[in-house]
Amino acid sequence: MKFMQQFGIILGITFVGEVLKELIPLPIPASIYGLVLMLLCLQTGIVKLKSVEESGNFLIEIMPLMFIPAAVGLMESFEQLRPILFSVVFVTAATTIIVMVVTGRVTQYILRREENSSEGNIE
Amino acid sequence: MKEILSDSLFFGVFVSVMGYQLGIILKKKFGFAIFNPLLVSIIFVMLILKLLHVDFDSYNEGAKYLSYLLTPATVCLAIPLYQQLELLKNNLKAVAIGILSGVLASMCSILIFARLFEFTHEQYVTMLPKSITTAIGMGVSEELGGIVTITVATIIITGILGNVIADFVCKIFRITHPIAKGLALGTAAHAIGTAKAMEMGEIEGAMSSLAIAVAGLCTVLGASVFAMFL
């Protein structure tokens, strides 16, 4: 019963996300509306953490599996990709590393600076 | 035999889960980053399909139910985020600037490479949304006049690559703070990177989930401006 109820709440919020996507003419997917909605529901207490936690964590745990079909589907678009394969793969790889490093280092720099300044205030 | 496999609804899901398990076992045994369970499972499924002559559509007839769960699973990313909300509030400035710098770095670097490789405008806007989650990225590419199937391909390649190299990149560039690691993964490699961040820890996972949404939305706005530069 517990899991059924939890799964029901999650699907309900997902459905509302889908409805919002249909109503609002922006290129924002149902999942993002749903994510924000779920956060609001938890924050306001409309949905209690314990009434979605277990099913939610199960879905998050098996999430990597959900990317396998789309990735295997790359087989299908390979012909289309072949003529520009080298440049696309190179640019994809290089920019992924750049974004990861920039985001990580910038965040860490600001976090460290703020930690230092708050320590300074205490003294 | 072939008909049984092609008609089966559970073959696709079963092979996918098997491949992932195989990846986990290999990773435990050898510990190399290349034995990333996601990467192993993708290659495993591709090999099985080729070997047994099952085409992608037959496989996907069953496996699509895995993809189907992606939307509710993404909605559930709000749960770890909610649990770390205090941490987010206390570090709002670092989080906001971190994600924003990542989004800018993404689009600037794509612009520079596009000029270097002499991409057409169509190829350039196809690549622009490559670091954000598929559903948003497809919309952006379509609106700017890109080739949607190639955008999807680059988004998936980005995600898998980000998932595979995350440990290595964080180590080399000494990204050690859990908030920084999480944001780096979510901003660079969307939901597939977030799956990796979840393995790293609760804070990493929550921050990565946040970055999917924020980086996605910033890219919607940013890409329409950057599209004018080439």
Side-chain angles (χ1 to χ4, degrees), chain A residues 29 35 43 53 60 64 66 68-69 71 73-74 80 84 90 92-93 95-96 99-100 103-105 107-108 111-112 114, chain B residues 20 38 41 56 63 66 76 78 83 85 91 98 102 109 117 123 130 135-136 149 153 158 161 173-174 176-177 180 184:
Chain A
L35 193 157
Q43 181 70 356
E53 202 176 11
I60 292 173
M66 301 168 195
I68 298 173
L74 289 183
Q80 226 180 334
I84 46 167
F90 177 83
T92 303
T95 54
T96 305
V99 178
M100 207 178 269
T103 314
R105 292 298 302 187
T107 310
Q108 194 159 288
L111 287 171
R112 295 258 160 88
E114 289 189 337
Chain B
Y20 202 82
L38 183 61
S41 59
F56 174 74
L66 283 175
C76 291
Q83 288 168 313
L85 214 55
N91 297 288
S109 56
F117 283 88
Q123 287 169 330
K130 61 162 270 293
I136 306 183
T149 47
T158 299
L161 192 79
F173 291 92
R174 293 194 301 276
T176 50
H177 200 295

Side-chain angles (χ1 to χ4, degrees), chain A residues 48-77:
Chain A
K48 294 267 176 289
L49 181 62
K50 62 175 193 300
S51 46
V52 285
E53 202 176 11
E54 281 129 329
S55 292
N57 285 339
F58 171 73
L59 282 174
I60 292 173
E61 198 188 314
I62 65 165
M63 204 168 166
L65 286 177
M66 301 168 195
F67 299 110
I68 298 173
V72 174
L74 289 183
M75 282 165 75
E76 297 286 282
S77 49

Side-chain angles (χ1 to χ4, degrees), chain B residues 12-79:
Chain B
V13 179
F14 175 62
V15 176
S16 308
V17 177
M18 281 281 293
Y20 202 82
Q21 283 300 327
L22 180 74
I24 292 174
I25 294 168
L26 284 175
K27 176 94 193 217
K28 256 194 189 144
K29 195 148 185 170
F30 299 102
F32 300 135
I34 194 73
F35 288 126
N36 173 287
L38 183 61
L39 188 65
V40 170
S41 59
I42 293 161
I43 295 168
F44 178 78
V45 174
M46 283 179 171
L47 284 178
I48 292 281
L49 296 189
K50 281 270 177 238
L51 237 82
L52 300 176
H53 302 289
V54 177
D55 59 46
F56 174 74
D57 290 332
S58 314
Y59 159 78
N60 202 36
E61 202 49 48
K64 70 179 178 206
Y65 296 105
L66 283 175
S67 321
Y68 165 84
L69 286 173
L70 197 55
T71 307
T74 309
V75 172
C76 291
L77 290 176
I79 297 170

Side-chain angles (χ1 to χ4, degrees), chain A residues 106-120:
Chain A
V106 168
T107 310
Q108 194 159 288
Y109 171 75
I110 299 170
L111 287 171
R112 295 258 160 88
R113 212 184 55 180
E114 289 189 337
E115 272 166 23
N116 286 338
S117 69
S118 65
E119 270 166 33

Side-chain angles (χ1 to χ4, degrees), chain B residues 122-200:
Chain B
E122 189 185 41
Q123 287 169 330
Y124 166 63
V125 293
T126 298
M127 296 289 285
L128 264 184
K130 61 162 270 293
S131 270
I132 60 174
T133 192
T134 321
I136 306 183
M138 282 169 76
V140 170
S141 173
E142 200 175 350
E143 202 158 289
L144 300 177
I147 311 156
V148 178
T149 47
I150 295 185
T151 299
V152 173
T154 58
I155 289 174
I156 295 167
I157 295 171
T158 299
I160 297 166
L161 192 79
N163 185 306
V164 173
I165 63 171
D167 285 322
F168 182 70
V169 169
C170 287
K171 204 167 154 192
I172 295 282
F173 291 92
R174 293 194 301 276
I175 302 165
T176 50
H177 200 295
I179 297 179
K181 278 171 137 179
L183 292 181
L185 266 162
T187 308
H190 51 91
I192 310 183
T194 302
K196 176 76 194 175
M198 287 288 174
E199 287 169 25
M200 289 176 163

Side-chain angles (χ1 to χ4, degrees), chain A residues 5-48:
Chain A
Q5 200 179 8
Q6 294 194 353
F7 194 51
I9 294 172
I10 292 165
L11 286 182
I13 292 176
T14 309
F15 170 64
V16 178
E18 219 176 10
V19 173
L20 286 176
K21 183 203 169 248
E22 288 303 314
L23 294 177
I24 305 169
L26 288 174
I28 296 169
S31 57
I32 299 296
Y33 283 123
L35 193 157
V36 174
L37 207 64
M38 176 69 94
L39 193 62
L40 287 175
C41 287
L42 287 168
Q43 181 70 356
T44 53
I46 296 170
V47 172
K48 294 267 176 289

